[in-house]
Amino acid sequence: MEDIIQYISENQQEFYVFILAVFVGIEVISKVPTVLHTPLMSGSNALSGVVIVGSIIVLGKTAPDNYAALTLGFFAVLLATLNVVGGFAVTNRMLEMFKKKPAKK
Amino acid sequence: MILYIIDICYLVAVVLFILGIKLMSHPDTARRGNGIALSGMILAIVASFFTPGLNNIILILVAMALGTVGGLYFAKSVKMTAMPQLVSFFNGMGGAAAALIGLVEYGDLPVDEVGKGAVLMASLVIGSISFSGSMIAMGKLQGVIKDIRINKMLGFTILAVAVALAVYIIASGQPQPVLVYVVVLLALVYGLAFVYPIGGADMPVVISLLNSLTGVTAATTGLLYDNKVMLMGGILVGSAGLLLTLLMAKAMNRSVANILFTSFGTAAGG
């Protein structure tokens, strides 16, 4: 328990960012119309692919002879890329449907 | 110097993420928002390549090339009506990636770092739940997987055991490579038990919730690396996803608690 509290106090900045980001996330989408629910879900899904940064770092710092870690890291990068690329491409395809019609208010 | 530039790139990327989501919530600007969020993501990825001491660059590029080809192929070839299951699939991939990072990191983490250990376990458990849950959600929308009733208590017991084991692993102060895999396995099973009993019509809400979970794992991974772009991006998705889940449920005239627990309730009667 003490360790956890110490960890939080040592990483205060991160936890401030954490809490502020919660409110930012709620604030930015609070007025989303119903038609945009699915595209927004898809778009935010693509954003959660930001974990790709972590997977690049993890594979990048693995020793070249640690085959187990290399394999896991390789798949981490592969899957995260799928998430990012697929996510943005699908969102774009969904939003293309909004292009022709005049925008709803 | 290069470290400062990376940090600034991450900062700009976060701003682009927020702007992107903001624009994506208005019909007129939604496409532009998607593009802006994408440019933020590209910036974050390029910046991460300049992390000092990065090895295996070729391996990273190969994995990214494969992922890009696969992602574009799925995104372009799937029918418009099958979009939600595809989103679920991609979401599961993100969760799995976070869990894999956790597995690799566990090997390197000194056992006396309790705080980081806790963050890592959270990353593993939530990522695994998000992965297996998303796969089931996809299967259900596709009509491949039928509704199966699973006792509510069984699911929660599995989760409780997984969390207890994770706490034990951290508290034991010793490397527990086998137990870590057991925790992941239990979390995967919980993901199945969580999504299985929920009806197909409610799946979009569940996918949104799982999407929010993937965001949280991205954020915990960010905590692990002291990486603000992952932390901020992940939490942004986590909280926006949670609100979106509530809004979607409201649009369907359902409450989230209703969706998540009613079907469990009927099963628990037996």
Side-chain angles (χ1 to χ4, degrees), chain B residues 23-61:
Chain B
L23 292 177
M24 247 188 269
S25 57
H26 296 284
D28 304 354
T29 53
R31 276 194 92 199
R32 192 147 44 99
N34 192 44
I36 289 177
L38 173 63
S39 57
M41 187 64 78
I42 292 172
L43 183 64
I45 292 172
V46 171
S48 66
F49 269 98
F50 290 95
T51 308
L54 206 69
N55 297 314
N56 310 318
I57 301 233
I58 293 171
L59 208 55
I60 297 174
L61 288 175

mmCIF file of all heavy atoms in Angstrom, chain B residues 23-61:
data_model
loop_
_atom_site.group_PDB
_atom_site.id
_atom_site.type_symbol
_atom_site.label_atom_id
_atom_site.label_comp_id
_atom_site.label_asym_id
_atom_site.label_seq_id
_atom_site.Cartn_x
_atom_site.Cartn_y
_atom_site.Cartn_z
ATOM 1 N N LEU B 23 -13.570 17.671 -33.584
ATOM 2 C CA LEU B 23 -14.158 17.888 -34.913
ATOM 3 C C LEU B 23 -15.002 16.690 -35.336
ATOM 4 O O LEU B 23 -15.981 16.827 -36.066
ATOM 5 C CB LEU B 23 -13.050 18.143 -35.941
ATOM 6 C CG LEU B 23 -12.299 19.457 -35.781
ATOM 7 C CD1 LEU B 23 -11.190 19.552 -36.808
ATOM 8 C CD2 LEU B 23 -13.240 20.637 -35.923
ATOM 9 N N MET B 24 -14.605 15.506 -34.874
ATOM 10 C CA MET B 24 -15.332 14.302 -35.275
ATOM 11 C C MET B 24 -16.733 14.244 -34.684
ATOM 12 O O MET B 24 -17.546 13.443 -35.106
ATOM 13 C CB MET B 24 -14.552 13.062 -34.836
ATOM 14 C CG MET B 24 -14.005 12.257 -35.989
ATOM 15 S SD MET B 24 -13.309 10.727 -35.398
ATOM 16 C CE MET B 24 -11.634 11.200 -35.114
ATOM 17 N N SER B 25 -17.008 15.099 -33.696
ATOM 18 C CA SER B 25 -18.343 15.027 -33.113
ATOM 19 C C SER B 25 -19.310 16.022 -33.754
ATOM 20 O O SER B 25 -20.372 16.268 -33.207
ATOM 21 C CB SER B 25 -18.275 15.198 -31.598
ATOM 22 O OG SER B 25 -17.660 16.405 -31.277
ATOM 23 N N HIS B 26 -18.926 16.615 -34.910
ATOM 24 C CA HIS B 26 -19.870 17.429 -35.682
ATOM 25 C C HIS B 26 -19.919 16.900 -37.108
ATOM 26 O O HIS B 26 -18.868 16.661 -37.698
ATOM 27 C CB HIS B 26 -19.424 18.895 -35.710
ATOM 28 C CG HIS B 26 -19.425 19.521 -34.357
ATOM 29 N ND1 HIS B 26 -20.587 19.909 -33.729
ATOM 30 C CD2 HIS B 26 -18.419 19.771 -33.494
ATOM 31 C CE1 HIS B 26 -20.268 20.388 -32.531
ATOM 32 N NE2 HIS B 26 -18.968 20.307 -32.365
ATOM 33 N N PRO B 27 -21.100 16.751 -37.681
ATOM 34 C CA PRO B 27 -21.208 16.141 -39.015
ATOM 35 C C PRO B 27 -20.406 16.887 -40.076
ATOM 36 O O PRO B 27 -19.789 16.254 -40.926
ATOM 37 C CB PRO B 27 -22.706 16.240 -39.319
ATOM 38 C CG PRO B 27 -23.361 16.354 -38.002
ATOM 39 C CD PRO B 27 -22.397 17.048 -37.098
ATOM 40 N N ASP B 28 -20.390 18.224 -40.019
ATOM 41 C CA ASP B 28 -19.703 18.980 -41.069
ATOM 42 C C ASP B 28 -18.205 18.732 -41.080
ATOM 43 O O ASP B 28 -17.567 18.720 -42.124
ATOM 44 C CB ASP B 28 -19.903 20.500 -40.856
ATOM 45 C CG ASP B 28 -21.359 20.859 -40.804
ATOM 46 O OD1 ASP B 28 -22.180 19.949 -41.046
ATOM 47 O OD2 ASP B 28 -21.683 22.024 -40.511
ATOM 48 N N THR B 29 -17.651 18.555 -39.900
ATOM 49 C CA THR B 29 -16.197 18.543 -39.804
ATOM 50 C C THR B 29 -15.638 17.160 -39.506
ATOM 51 O O THR B 29 -14.433 17.004 -39.330
ATOM 52 C CB THR B 29 -15.756 19.485 -38.670
ATOM 53 O OG1 THR B 29 -16.468 19.117 -37.484
ATOM 54 C CG2 THR B 29 -16.028 20.926 -39.004
ATOM 55 N N ALA B 30 -16.523 16.157 -39.482
ATOM 56 C CA ALA B 30 -16.092 14.843 -38.992
ATOM 57 C C ALA B 30 -14.923 14.261 -39.783
ATOM 58 O O ALA B 30 -13.974 13.735 -39.212
ATOM 59 C CB ALA B 30 -17.275 13.874 -39.005
ATOM 60 N N ARG B 31 -14.985 14.399 -41.114
ATOM 61 C CA ARG B 31 -13.918 13.792 -41.922
ATOM 62 C C ARG B 31 -12.586 14.488 -41.680
ATOM 63 O O ARG B 31 -11.536 13.861 -41.608
ATOM 64 C CB ARG B 31 -14.251 13.888 -43.411
ATOM 65 C CG ARG B 31 -15.153 12.770 -43.867
ATOM 66 C CD ARG B 31 -15.182 12.713 -45.368
ATOM 67 N NE ARG B 31 -14.187 11.826 -45.901
ATOM 68 C CZ ARG B 31 -13.765 11.878 -47.159
ATOM 69 N NH1 ARG B 31 -14.220 12.799 -47.967
ATOM 70 N NH2 ARG B 31 -12.876 11.022 -47.586
ATOM 71 N N ARG B 32 -12.664 15.811 -41.582
ATOM 72 C CA ARG B 32 -11.445 16.568 -41.318
ATOM 73 C C ARG B 32 -10.870 16.153 -39.958
ATOM 74 O O ARG B 32 -9.669 15.992 -39.799
ATOM 75 C CB ARG B 32 -11.768 18.070 -41.340
ATOM 76 C CG ARG B 32 -10.575 18.958 -41.363
ATOM 77 C CD ARG B 32 -10.846 20.230 -42.146
ATOM 78 N NE ARG B 32 -12.150 20.821 -41.839
ATOM 79 C CZ ARG B 32 -12.324 21.837 -40.984
ATOM 80 N NH1 ARG B 32 -11.308 22.345 -40.359
ATOM 81 N NH2 ARG B 32 -13.521 22.328 -40.776
ATOM 82 N N GLY B 33 -11.781 15.948 -38.991
ATOM 83 C CA GLY B 33 -11.340 15.513 -37.674
ATOM 84 C C GLY B 33 -10.579 14.209 -37.735
ATOM 85 O O GLY B 33 -9.531 14.048 -37.096
ATOM 86 N N ASN B 34 -11.096 13.285 -38.533
ATOM 87 C CA ASN B 34 -10.420 11.997 -38.681
ATOM 88 C C ASN B 34 -9.022 12.186 -39.260
ATOM 89 O O ASN B 34 -8.054 11.575 -38.796
ATOM 90 C CB ASN B 34 -11.270 11.084 -39.578
ATOM 91 C CG ASN B 34 -10.795 9.654 -39.559
ATOM 92 O OD1 ASN B 34 -10.493 9.121 -38.504
ATOM 93 N ND2 ASN B 34 -10.715 9.044 -40.720
ATOM 94 N N GLY B 35 -8.923 13.066 -40.264
ATOM 95 C CA GLY B 35 -7.631 13.328 -40.876
ATOM 96 C C GLY B 35 -6.650 13.950 -39.885
ATOM 97 O O GLY B 35 -5.473 13.588 -39.845
ATOM 98 N N ILE B 36 -7.165 14.867 -39.065
ATOM 99 C CA ILE B 36 -6.297 15.535 -38.093
ATOM 100 C C ILE B 36 -5.804 14.551 -37.036
ATOM 101 O O ILE B 36 -4.623 14.517 -36.686
ATOM 102 C CB ILE B 36 -7.044 16.716 -37.451
ATOM 103 C CG1 ILE B 36 -7.196 17.836 -38.494
ATOM 104 C CG2 ILE B 36 -6.311 17.233 -36.226
ATOM 105 C CD1 ILE B 36 -7.979 19.015 -38.013
ATOM 106 N N ALA B 37 -6.730 13.689 -36.580
ATOM 107 C CA ALA B 37 -6.320 12.668 -35.607
ATOM 108 C C ALA B 37 -5.271 11.743 -36.216
ATOM 109 O O ALA B 37 -4.299 11.359 -35.575
ATOM 110 C CB ALA B 37 -7.528 11.863 -35.147
ATOM 111 N N LEU B 38 -5.458 11.410 -37.488
ATOM 112 C CA LEU B 38 -4.496 10.541 -38.171
ATOM 113 C C LEU B 38 -3.130 11.213 -38.260
ATOM 114 O O LEU B 38 -2.100 10.566 -38.012
ATOM 115 C CB LEU B 38 -5.005 10.194 -39.578
ATOM 116 C CG LEU B 38 -4.042 9.428 -40.484
ATOM 117 C CD1 LEU B 38 -3.721 8.056 -39.892
ATOM 118 C CD2 LEU B 38 -4.619 9.250 -41.876
ATOM 119 N N SER B 39 -3.112 12.504 -38.576
ATOM 120 C CA SER B 39 -1.814 13.173 -38.685
ATOM 121 C C SER B 39 -1.124 13.194 -37.318
ATOM 122 O O SER B 39 0.106 13.049 -37.240
ATOM 123 C CB SER B 39 -1.968 14.575 -39.263
ATOM 124 O OG SER B 39 -2.850 15.329 -38.465
ATOM 125 N N GLY B 40 -1.927 13.357 -36.237
ATOM 126 C CA GLY B 40 -1.343 13.283 -34.904
ATOM 127 C C GLY B 40 -0.715 11.924 -34.647
ATOM 128 O O GLY B 40 0.388 11.820 -34.089
ATOM 129 N N MET B 41 -1.427 10.882 -35.078
ATOM 130 C CA MET B 41 -0.923 9.527 -34.874
ATOM 131 C C MET B 41 0.371 9.302 -35.634
ATOM 132 O O MET B 41 1.335 8.739 -35.116
ATOM 133 C CB MET B 41 -1.996 8.524 -35.334
ATOM 134 C CG MET B 41 -1.671 7.098 -35.033
ATOM 135 S SD MET B 41 -1.570 6.783 -33.272
ATOM 136 C CE MET B 41 -3.302 6.687 -32.871
ATOM 137 N N ILE B 42 0.428 9.777 -36.896
ATOM 138 C CA ILE B 42 1.638 9.598 -37.701
ATOM 139 C C ILE B 42 2.807 10.318 -37.033
ATOM 140 O O ILE B 42 3.908 9.775 -36.925
ATOM 141 C CB ILE B 42 1.408 10.115 -39.142
ATOM 142 C CG1 ILE B 42 0.398 9.204 -39.852
ATOM 143 C CG2 ILE B 42 2.716 10.155 -39.917
ATOM 144 C CD1 ILE B 42 -0.068 9.700 -41.190
ATOM 145 N N LEU B 43 2.528 11.528 -36.547
ATOM 146 C CA LEU B 43 3.574 12.292 -35.868
ATOM 147 C C LEU B 43 4.101 11.529 -34.652
ATOM 148 O O LEU B 43 5.320 11.414 -34.453
ATOM 149 C CB LEU B 43 3.005 13.648 -35.442
ATOM 150 C CG LEU B 43 3.975 14.618 -34.783
ATOM 151 C CD1 LEU B 43 5.066 15.011 -35.772
ATOM 152 C CD2 LEU B 43 3.254 15.848 -34.277
ATOM 153 N N ALA B 44 3.170 10.959 -33.862
ATOM 154 C CA ALA B 44 3.585 10.212 -32.664
ATOM 155 C C ALA B 44 4.423 9.000 -33.048
ATOM 156 O O ALA B 44 5.425 8.684 -32.395
ATOM 157 C CB ALA B 44 2.355 9.790 -31.868
ATOM 158 N N ILE B 45 4.023 8.313 -34.123
ATOM 159 C CA ILE B 45 4.749 7.107 -34.535
ATOM 160 C C ILE B 45 6.150 7.474 -35.022
ATOM 161 O O ILE B 45 7.149 6.856 -34.623
ATOM 162 C CB ILE B 45 3.967 6.359 -35.638
ATOM 163 C CG1 ILE B 45 2.678 5.779 -35.062
ATOM 164 C CG2 ILE B 45 4.825 5.255 -36.248
ATOM 165 C CD1 ILE B 45 1.746 5.190 -36.093
ATOM 166 N N VAL B 46 6.224 8.517 -35.874
ATOM 167 C CA VAL B 46 7.531 8.927 -36.393
ATOM 168 C C VAL B 46 8.442 9.346 -35.237
ATOM 169 O O VAL B 46 9.610 8.945 -35.164
ATOM 170 C CB VAL B 46 7.362 10.091 -37.408
ATOM 171 C CG1 VAL B 46 8.721 10.673 -37.775
ATOM 172 C CG2 VAL B 46 6.654 9.595 -38.660
ATOM 173 N N ALA B 47 7.868 10.114 -34.287
ATOM 174 C CA ALA B 47 8.676 10.562 -33.152
ATOM 175 C C ALA B 47 9.213 9.372 -32.364
ATOM 176 O O ALA B 47 10.366 9.374 -31.921
ATOM 177 C CB ALA B 47 7.849 11.468 -32.250
ATOM 178 N N SER B 48 8.375 8.327 -32.202
ATOM 179 C CA SER B 48 8.809 7.200 -31.377
ATOM 180 C C SER B 48 9.970 6.449 -32.030
ATOM 181 O O SER B 48 10.730 5.759 -31.358
ATOM 182 C CB SER B 48 7.635 6.257 -31.100
ATOM 183 O OG SER B 48 7.216 5.652 -32.283
ATOM 184 N N PHE B 49 10.134 6.596 -33.341
ATOM 185 C CA PHE B 49 11.272 5.956 -34.011
ATOM 186 C C PHE B 49 12.598 6.605 -33.628
ATOM 187 O O PHE B 49 13.653 6.020 -33.803
ATOM 188 C CB PHE B 49 11.104 6.015 -35.538
ATOM 189 C CG PHE B 49 10.405 4.819 -36.088
ATOM 190 C CD1 PHE B 49 9.054 4.854 -36.360
ATOM 191 C CD2 PHE B 49 11.100 3.632 -36.296
ATOM 192 C CE1 PHE B 49 8.401 3.748 -36.846
ATOM 193 C CE2 PHE B 49 10.458 2.520 -36.779
ATOM 194 C CZ PHE B 49 9.097 2.569 -37.052
ATOM 195 N N PHE B 50 12.541 7.829 -33.119
ATOM 196 C CA PHE B 50 13.770 8.512 -32.736
ATOM 197 C C PHE B 50 14.136 8.289 -31.274
ATOM 198 O O PHE B 50 15.056 8.905 -30.762
ATOM 199 C CB PHE B 50 13.652 10.010 -33.047
ATOM 200 C CG PHE B 50 13.651 10.289 -34.506
ATOM 201 C CD1 PHE B 50 12.462 10.426 -35.210
ATOM 202 C CD2 PHE B 50 14.854 10.370 -35.204
ATOM 203 C CE1 PHE B 50 12.467 10.657 -36.574
ATOM 204 C CE2 PHE B 50 14.861 10.608 -36.572
ATOM 205 C CZ PHE B 50 13.660 10.748 -37.258
ATOM 206 N N THR B 51 13.368 7.384 -30.599
ATOM 207 C CA THR B 51 13.715 7.038 -29.229
ATOM 208 C C THR B 51 15.160 6.549 -29.195
ATOM 209 O O THR B 51 15.535 5.679 -29.991
ATOM 210 C CB THR B 51 12.785 5.912 -28.722
ATOM 211 O OG1 THR B 51 11.448 6.295 -28.956
ATOM 212 C CG2 THR B 51 13.005 5.648 -27.252
ATOM 213 N N PRO B 52 15.993 7.102 -28.307
ATOM 214 C CA PRO B 52 17.402 6.699 -28.292
ATOM 215 C C PRO B 52 17.551 5.203 -28.017
ATOM 216 O O PRO B 52 16.796 4.628 -27.229
ATOM 217 C CB PRO B 52 17.976 7.521 -27.131
ATOM 218 C CG PRO B 52 17.038 8.640 -26.940
ATOM 219 C CD PRO B 52 15.691 8.145 -27.335
ATOM 220 N N GLY B 53 18.512 4.580 -28.683
ATOM 221 C CA GLY B 53 18.819 3.177 -28.446
ATOM 222 C C GLY B 53 17.803 2.211 -29.015
ATOM 223 O O GLY B 53 17.615 1.116 -28.490
ATOM 224 N N LEU B 54 17.131 2.634 -30.055
ATOM 225 C CA LEU B 54 16.109 1.753 -30.644
ATOM 226 C C LEU B 54 16.782 0.714 -31.564
ATOM 227 O O LEU B 54 17.472 1.068 -32.508
ATOM 228 C CB LEU B 54 15.119 2.604 -31.440
ATOM 229 C CG LEU B 54 13.712 2.050 -31.619
ATOM 230 C CD1 LEU B 54 12.964 2.037 -30.309
ATOM 231 C CD2 LEU B 54 12.942 2.870 -32.642
ATOM 232 N N ASN B 55 16.547 -0.562 -31.237
ATOM 233 C CA ASN B 55 17.095 -1.641 -32.083
ATOM 234 C C ASN B 55 15.999 -2.214 -32.963
ATOM 235 O O ASN B 55 14.862 -1.768 -32.920
ATOM 236 C CB ASN B 55 17.622 -2.787 -31.210
ATOM 237 C CG ASN B 55 18.759 -2.337 -30.335
ATOM 238 O OD1 ASN B 55 19.660 -1.659 -30.807
ATOM 239 N ND2 ASN B 55 18.708 -2.709 -29.072
ATOM 240 N N ASN B 56 16.350 -3.251 -33.691
ATOM 241 C CA ASN B 56 15.378 -4.057 -34.447
ATOM 242 C C ASN B 56 14.483 -3.219 -35.348
ATOM 243 O O ASN B 56 13.316 -3.518 -35.547
ATOM 244 C CB ASN B 56 14.466 -4.862 -33.503
ATOM 245 C CG ASN B 56 15.253 -5.628 -32.465
ATOM 246 O OD1 ASN B 56 16.279 -6.213 -32.796
ATOM 247 N ND2 ASN B 56 14.791 -5.601 -31.241
ATOM 248 N N ILE B 57 15.046 -2.150 -35.911
ATOM 249 C CA ILE B 57 14.206 -1.256 -36.708
ATOM 250 C C ILE B 57 13.579 -1.986 -37.893
ATOM 251 O O ILE B 57 12.409 -1.776 -38.219
ATOM 252 C CB ILE B 57 15.045 -0.052 -37.200
ATOM 253 C CG1 ILE B 57 15.609 0.665 -35.989
ATOM 254 C CG2 ILE B 57 14.215 0.854 -38.105
ATOM 255 C CD1 ILE B 57 15.367 2.115 -35.894
ATOM 256 N N ILE B 58 14.377 -2.897 -38.486
ATOM 257 C CA ILE B 58 13.850 -3.609 -39.660
ATOM 258 C C ILE B 58 12.651 -4.453 -39.263
ATOM 259 O O ILE B 58 11.615 -4.465 -39.929
ATOM 260 C CB ILE B 58 14.963 -4.468 -40.301
ATOM 261 C CG1 ILE B 58 16.026 -3.525 -40.876
ATOM 262 C CG2 ILE B 58 14.406 -5.375 -41.387
ATOM 263 C CD1 ILE B 58 17.266 -4.202 -41.353
ATOM 264 N N LEU B 59 12.792 -5.133 -38.107
ATOM 265 C CA LEU B 59 11.697 -5.970 -37.623
ATOM 266 C C LEU B 59 10.441 -5.118 -37.380
ATOM 267 O O LEU B 59 9.321 -5.507 -37.739
ATOM 268 C CB LEU B 59 12.137 -6.642 -36.324
ATOM 269 C CG LEU B 59 11.500 -7.993 -35.982
ATOM 270 C CD1 LEU B 59 11.681 -8.971 -37.115
ATOM 271 C CD2 LEU B 59 12.100 -8.542 -34.705
ATOM 272 N N ILE B 60 10.631 -3.929 -36.790
ATOM 273 C CA ILE B 60 9.500 -3.033 -36.533
ATOM 274 C C ILE B 60 8.836 -2.649 -37.848
ATOM 275 O O ILE B 60 7.611 -2.691 -37.978
ATOM 276 C CB ILE B 60 9.968 -1.755 -35.787
ATOM 277 C CG1 ILE B 60 10.533 -2.109 -34.419
ATOM 278 C CG2 ILE B 60 8.824 -0.766 -35.645
ATOM 279 C CD1 ILE B 60 11.156 -0.925 -33.690
ATOM 280 N N LEU B 61 9.674 -2.286 -38.830
ATOM 281 C CA LEU B 61 9.114 -1.839 -40.109
ATOM 282 C C LEU B 61 8.365 -2.967 -40.802
ATOM 283 O O LEU B 61 7.299 -2.753 -41.394
ATOM 284 C CB LEU B 61 10.229 -1.290 -41.008
ATOM 285 C CG LEU B 61 10.793 0.058 -40.554
ATOM 286 C CD1 LEU B 61 11.972 0.472 -41.424
ATOM 287 C CD2 LEU B 61 9.716 1.139 -40.589
#
